[in-house]
Amino acid sequence: MYTNTGSNTLSTKQKSNGLVKKTEALRLDSNATAPSSQPKIKSKGLDVPKLWEDGKARRKPSAAFVVIGHVDHGKSTLMGRLLLDTGAVAQRDIDKYQKQATELGKSSFALAWVMDTGTEERERGVTFDFAQHHFSTESTDFTILDAPGHRDFVPNMIGGASIADMAVLVVDANQLESGMKGQTKEHILLAKAVGLDRIIVAVNKLDSTMPTWSREAFEKVQLAVTKLLRESGFREEKITFVPCSGLSGQNVANSPSGREVNWIAQAKLPTLLQALETSSGAETTQDDMRKPLRMQVVDLFRGSITNPLSVSGRISSGSVQIGDSVTFQPAGEIATVKAIEVSDEPNDYAVAGQICTLHLQDIEAQHIKPGDVLCNISLPVTVVKDLTMLVGVVDALLPQPVDVHIGRLHVPGVIRQFIETVDQRGERLKKKPRLLKEGQRARIKVKLENGAPIESGERVVLRSGGVTAAYGVVVE
Amino acid sequence: MRLIKQNIEKKTGAGTATLLPEEPEDMWHAYNLIRPNDLLRASAVRKVINESSSGSRSNERVHTTLTIRVTKLDFDPQAAQLHVSGRVAEENKIVKLGSFHTLDLELQRNFQLEKSEGWDSVALDMLKEAINQDAKAQLWAVIMKEGLANICLVTDHQTTLRQKIETTLPRKRAGSTDHDKQLQKFFQTTFDSLLRQIDIANPLPLLLASPAFTASQFQQYIKDQAAPSANAKQLNALLAKTTIAPAATGHLHSLAEVLASPAVTSKLSDTKFARETQLVDRFFELMRKEDARAWYGPRECEYAVAQGAVGKGGGVLLISNGLFRSQQIEARKRWVKLVDDVKEGGGEVRVLSSMHESGRRLDSLGGVAVILTYPIEDLDEVAGGGDEDGDDEVEFDQVNGDVLRPNGVEGRVEHEEEIDLL
């Protein structure tokens, strides 16, 4: 802890910023007298795990879901619809978007604009980066993570999926084929790779099948997608199918009405919202909370004038409260948590499993980048370069340069060596194979170009030339 | 590089060559030509300390020509500088025999090289390549994604990363224009850095590659900047020479795939790096298909060559020039022999530059790979490649030391060298 603080002071001092120097000096003094470091913002010293336990009864369960699927299958539009019908977005906003979109000649994109807020995204009608949105129903607090479907943005999709509890796969009933070859398949694989096991399949655009609301089309998709999901390792009881239309809003939040959609009620299929409500995320355990604090930085931004530097992400273990000093790896710089927001509401603390925004002080933006890990000062993540992983191979691999994805972290590396191929139980099959084939499992050594904060047990995806090549876990 | 004079004997390889480096890339050739134990003669600046009879000392910088026996090379590709250290092998008035000196090779200054073991076939080929005055293909490439841009110069023999721009872009959020603003700022920085690097009066072709739309957005940005700027004419000339290509990521290793993409090969079809990339691609493709004609690794390749499987009619040996830079003379001899054997058998030999992405891909395979004329099954087991670790391991480390230098500095040794003053 001391060495950390020391190096921090040193590096900040080098910048001839008098003010920073002074504050740093102050901090050093207070450190000298009281080892528990008392920055300007005082910690309330809350017993977070206890508070969390006490608040259990009053709290609604919360869940974050990532929306995945092939490009142009209507993910953003479906989510825009969901937000509109649950009242999280006002009709007048949609009307406004409708007007602007019509001017661009893209009136059908109005609902998607709730999610696609970027100028480029709106002009091109394609989601670039995942969007984050909150809404609540009577039973649950939801966080939507609307992932991009375009193949060039798969890295962003991995970032979104890694902070979700479950996935909503959107499949266009009219364009099953394009998706099966494209990102429907890859996204399913990646959802599995980042550790999601619960999946809701929204069969979308059923209002434009021939004939409309064709049960046959729905069942055809159901069959094909179930097969694909099972091949990727999803268990059947964790899969729910929902027929719907994002554009017309049938069977999204509201139950369907009309003669042609009668079969949905007959088959006792849920609406998308019902399906979501019956599958909220796992409750954070006391164990998770008492582990050292870890949160991968998903986004780094200027929160507001009073909060010039904020980070957001999902706490993977431990807890954080206002006034805590935290460190960012690999930079090793220390910051103080000034304020915390959970689901856009200010809160005194946040715990493992929650997606939150932390407003920081005593740190400069240059020390942090997305993919960094926020940790407690006493037990920070070590920065490593050489990794051993246990991976399942999706596409033939040689020792070659690869892109290493761990959540939002996206860094270049090289496969140094194939140690051995293994069977399902992890027993060795062949030592030092010269090539890894699709379907094999293997232990491999990977060297990163630059050090990154990675711990064993983290889920990793290896990509090469724009396609997913392997996924697995970091062994050491 | 110009060959001023040479008296190399064909048979024994003894003799010297006098060379004149003319452009920065020649330093790369020199780095590959000069090996430890060679004799290098070049002009030098030496600090000489004189002590008078009264005991007062005075410093003097003297220009002289020194011959050293090379012990270590230090190449900085970004600055294209080559520092060669060694012990003085020929005494003169100011320098004693055996004292240390580091020669900095300079452009437009001759140096003379004599090989300790004689000029072998690989060294002669390198020399031929170095003095080849044919027009050289060169281009600037910017491999980028939002928030990351790698500006590099691609020449026949090397890819040098000249500048890396990395900024953090905030994610989109409703009601905020931060992302757009920061993106413009990122483009501005990239554009400014690019202008500082390239010779705008006489622009080389420019390649912009990125996933999705970043590259075309950046091209649009340059267009927007061109209109009101003072050097609009030159910028427009540059834009005319600009190619947009898709890349899987913004990281530098995507360059290999970009150079092999149709958008690029149609414009630069017969350049050395494009051919090399295609060859490595072909090798990877054969490996993927589990074709028993493609093998990699030192022992496997040697075995295949010994079997005469890398011969006429499609046999190709791909070898990284990093292997020839080995500090151990024995190791170098081993590779030279392999090359000679393949040539004798009528096979094709490709020495790939470890400073290109294709060469780096080869390096990750151990630096050497072969495409055989006929398939040999289970060659790895026959050649004993699958036995104990160790031997292979050393090989890997040596090469991969070079592979992962982010800024491409090769052969850098960490510690400061000792210079003994007189």
Side-chain angles (χ1 to χ4, degrees), chain B residues 54-68:
Chain B
S54 62
S56 68
R57 289 154 72 107
S58 65
N59 282 336
E60 209 184 342
R61 291 172 74 81
V62 183
H63 280 270
T64 177
T65 304
L66 289 179
T67 305
I68 60 168

PDB file of all heavy atoms in Angstrom, chain B residues 54-68:
ATOM      1  N   SER B  54      52.897  17.911 -16.776  1.00  0.00           N
ATOM      2  CA  SER B  54      52.579  18.520 -15.484  1.00  0.00           C
ATOM      3  C   SER B  54      51.381  17.846 -14.824  1.00  0.00           C
ATOM      4  O   SER B  54      51.031  18.142 -13.695  1.00  0.00           O
ATOM      5  CB  SER B  54      52.291  20.005 -15.662  1.00  0.00           C
ATOM      6  OG  SER B  54      51.162  20.140 -16.492  1.00  0.00           O
ATOM      7  N   GLY B  55      50.748  16.954 -15.515  1.00  0.00           N
ATOM      8  CA  GLY B  55      49.645  16.203 -14.912  1.00  0.00           C
ATOM      9  C   GLY B  55      48.280  16.749 -15.267  1.00  0.00           C
ATOM     10  O   GLY B  55      47.266  16.170 -14.886  1.00  0.00           O
ATOM     11  N   SER B  56      48.196  17.856 -16.016  1.00  0.00           N
ATOM     12  CA  SER B  56      46.878  18.372 -16.383  1.00  0.00           C
ATOM     13  C   SER B  56      46.350  17.564 -17.563  1.00  0.00           C
ATOM     14  O   SER B  56      47.107  17.128 -18.428  1.00  0.00           O
ATOM     15  CB  SER B  56      46.977  19.855 -16.743  1.00  0.00           C
ATOM     16  OG  SER B  56      47.704  19.986 -17.938  1.00  0.00           O
ATOM     17  N   ARG B  57      45.035  17.358 -17.577  1.00  0.00           N
ATOM     18  CA  ARG B  57      44.448  16.529 -18.631  1.00  0.00           C
ATOM     19  C   ARG B  57      43.625  17.385 -19.566  1.00  0.00           C
ATOM     20  O   ARG B  57      42.985  18.347 -19.152  1.00  0.00           O
ATOM     21  CB  ARG B  57      43.538  15.467 -17.991  1.00  0.00           C
ATOM     22  CG  ARG B  57      44.321  14.400 -17.260  1.00  0.00           C
ATOM     23  CD  ARG B  57      43.487  13.789 -16.159  1.00  0.00           C
ATOM     24  NE  ARG B  57      42.447  12.937 -16.705  1.00  0.00           N
ATOM     25  CZ  ARG B  57      42.476  11.614 -16.635  1.00  0.00           C
ATOM     26  NH1 ARG B  57      43.465  10.995 -16.040  1.00  0.00           N
ATOM     27  NH2 ARG B  57      41.507  10.893 -17.152  1.00  0.00           N
ATOM     28  N   SER B  58      43.646  17.033 -20.799  1.00  0.00           N
ATOM     29  CA  SER B  58      42.782  17.761 -21.730  1.00  0.00           C
ATOM     30  C   SER B  58      42.061  16.757 -22.636  1.00  0.00           C
ATOM     31  O   SER B  58      42.609  15.716 -22.992  1.00  0.00           O
ATOM     32  CB  SER B  58      43.620  18.726 -22.574  1.00  0.00           C
ATOM     33  OG  SER B  58      44.484  17.966 -23.386  1.00  0.00           O
ATOM     34  N   ASN B  59      40.834  17.094 -22.949  1.00  0.00           N
ATOM     35  CA  ASN B  59      40.027  16.244 -23.821  1.00  0.00           C
ATOM     36  C   ASN B  59      40.109  16.709 -25.253  1.00  0.00           C
ATOM     37  O   ASN B  59      40.165  17.915 -25.506  1.00  0.00           O
ATOM     38  CB  ASN B  59      38.556  16.303 -23.401  1.00  0.00           C
ATOM     39  CG  ASN B  59      38.320  15.445 -22.195  1.00  0.00           C
ATOM     40  OD1 ASN B  59      39.062  14.506 -21.945  1.00  0.00           O
ATOM     41  ND2 ASN B  59      37.296  15.795 -21.429  1.00  0.00           N
ATOM     42  N   GLU B  60      40.037  15.782 -26.132  1.00  0.00           N
ATOM     43  CA  GLU B  60      40.069  16.160 -27.535  1.00  0.00           C
ATOM     44  C   GLU B  60      39.208  15.162 -28.295  1.00  0.00           C
ATOM     45  O   GLU B  60      39.248  13.966 -28.010  1.00  0.00           O
ATOM     46  CB  GLU B  60      41.512  16.087 -28.022  1.00  0.00           C
ATOM     47  CG  GLU B  60      41.806  17.048 -29.148  1.00  0.00           C
ATOM     48  CD  GLU B  60      43.227  16.854 -29.651  1.00  0.00           C
ATOM     49  OE1 GLU B  60      44.050  16.253 -28.921  1.00  0.00           O
ATOM     50  OE2 GLU B  60      43.496  17.265 -30.765  1.00  0.00           O
ATOM     51  N   ARG B  61      38.447  15.667 -29.234  1.00  0.00           N
ATOM     52  CA  ARG B  61      37.669  14.748 -30.074  1.00  0.00           C
ATOM     53  C   ARG B  61      38.383  14.617 -31.402  1.00  0.00           C
ATOM     54  O   ARG B  61      38.591  15.597 -32.088  1.00  0.00           O
ATOM     55  CB  ARG B  61      36.248  15.260 -30.246  1.00  0.00           C
ATOM     56  CG  ARG B  61      35.466  15.195 -28.961  1.00  0.00           C
ATOM     57  CD  ARG B  61      34.132  15.897 -29.116  1.00  0.00           C
ATOM     58  NE  ARG B  61      33.193  15.102 -29.917  1.00  0.00           N
ATOM     59  CZ  ARG B  61      32.484  14.101 -29.431  1.00  0.00           C
ATOM     60  NH1 ARG B  61      32.630  13.739 -28.177  1.00  0.00           N
ATOM     61  NH2 ARG B  61      31.651  13.454 -30.190  1.00  0.00           N
ATOM     62  N   VAL B  62      38.693  13.387 -31.769  1.00  0.00           N
ATOM     63  CA  VAL B  62      39.511  13.174 -32.957  1.00  0.00           C
ATOM     64  C   VAL B  62      38.728  12.358 -33.982  1.00  0.00           C
ATOM     65  O   VAL B  62      38.113  11.355 -33.644  1.00  0.00           O
ATOM     66  CB  VAL B  62      40.791  12.399 -32.573  1.00  0.00           C
ATOM     67  CG1 VAL B  62      41.689  12.228 -33.787  1.00  0.00           C
ATOM     68  CG2 VAL B  62      41.517  13.111 -31.457  1.00  0.00           C
ATOM     69  N   HIS B  63      38.741  12.819 -35.207  1.00  0.00           N
ATOM     70  CA  HIS B  63      38.166  12.021 -36.294  1.00  0.00           C
ATOM     71  C   HIS B  63      39.195  11.036 -36.780  1.00  0.00           C
ATOM     72  O   HIS B  63      40.324  11.407 -37.057  1.00  0.00           O
ATOM     73  CB  HIS B  63      37.744  12.927 -37.451  1.00  0.00           C
ATOM     74  CG  HIS B  63      36.434  13.588 -37.204  1.00  0.00           C
ATOM     75  ND1 HIS B  63      35.243  13.042 -37.581  1.00  0.00           N
ATOM     76  CD2 HIS B  63      36.131  14.741 -36.573  1.00  0.00           C
ATOM     77  CE1 HIS B  63      34.268  13.827 -37.219  1.00  0.00           C
ATOM     78  NE2 HIS B  63      34.772  14.881 -36.599  1.00  0.00           N
ATOM     79  N   THR B  64      38.796   9.801 -36.876  1.00  0.00           N
ATOM     80  CA  THR B  64      39.758   8.804 -37.320  1.00  0.00           C
ATOM     81  C   THR B  64      39.012   7.664 -37.994  1.00  0.00           C
ATOM     82  O   THR B  64      37.781   7.647 -38.001  1.00  0.00           O
ATOM     83  CB  THR B  64      40.583   8.285 -36.129  1.00  0.00           C
ATOM     84  OG1 THR B  64      41.458   7.266 -36.583  1.00  0.00           O
ATOM     85  CG2 THR B  64      39.693   7.702 -35.055  1.00  0.00           C
ATOM     86  N   THR B  65      39.707   6.732 -38.560  1.00  0.00           N
ATOM     87  CA  THR B  65      39.058   5.560 -39.120  1.00  0.00           C
ATOM     88  C   THR B  65      39.491   4.359 -38.291  1.00  0.00           C
ATOM     89  O   THR B  65      40.678   4.173 -38.038  1.00  0.00           O
ATOM     90  CB  THR B  65      39.472   5.369 -40.586  1.00  0.00           C
ATOM     91  OG1 THR B  65      39.154   6.556 -41.282  1.00  0.00           O
ATOM     92  CG2 THR B  65      38.720   4.208 -41.205  1.00  0.00           C
ATOM     93  N   LEU B  66      38.515   3.584 -37.840  1.00  0.00           N
ATOM     94  CA  LEU B  66      38.823   2.468 -36.954  1.00  0.00           C
ATOM     95  C   LEU B  66      38.344   1.156 -37.555  1.00  0.00           C
ATOM     96  O   LEU B  66      37.341   1.114 -38.262  1.00  0.00           O
ATOM     97  CB  LEU B  66      38.121   2.655 -35.602  1.00  0.00           C
ATOM     98  CG  LEU B  66      38.641   3.746 -34.669  1.00  0.00           C
ATOM     99  CD1 LEU B  66      37.815   3.773 -33.418  1.00  0.00           C
ATOM    100  CD2 LEU B  66      40.101   3.529 -34.350  1.00  0.00           C
ATOM    101  N   THR B  67      39.044   0.098 -37.239  1.00  0.00           N
ATOM    102  CA  THR B  67      38.585  -1.241 -37.591  1.00  0.00           C
ATOM    103  C   THR B  67      38.274  -1.966 -36.288  1.00  0.00           C
ATOM    104  O   THR B  67      39.118  -2.018 -35.394  1.00  0.00           O
ATOM    105  CB  THR B  67      39.674  -2.004 -38.348  1.00  0.00           C
ATOM    106  OG1 THR B  67      40.056  -1.217 -39.461  1.00  0.00           O
ATOM    107  CG2 THR B  67      39.155  -3.355 -38.821  1.00  0.00           C
ATOM    108  N   ILE B  68      37.065  -2.461 -36.170  1.00  0.00           N
ATOM    109  CA  ILE B  68      36.718  -3.179 -34.944  1.00  0.00           C
ATOM    110  C   ILE B  68      36.278  -4.601 -35.257  1.00  0.00           C
ATOM    111  O   ILE B  68      35.785  -4.883 -36.355  1.00  0.00           O
ATOM    112  CB  ILE B  68      35.592  -2.469 -34.142  1.00  0.00           C
ATOM    113  CG1 ILE B  68      34.314  -2.341 -34.977  1.00  0.00           C
ATOM    114  CG2 ILE B  68      36.056  -1.125 -33.630  1.00  0.00           C
ATOM    115  CD1 ILE B  68      33.113  -1.932 -34.162  1.00  0.00           C
TER     116      ILE B  68
END
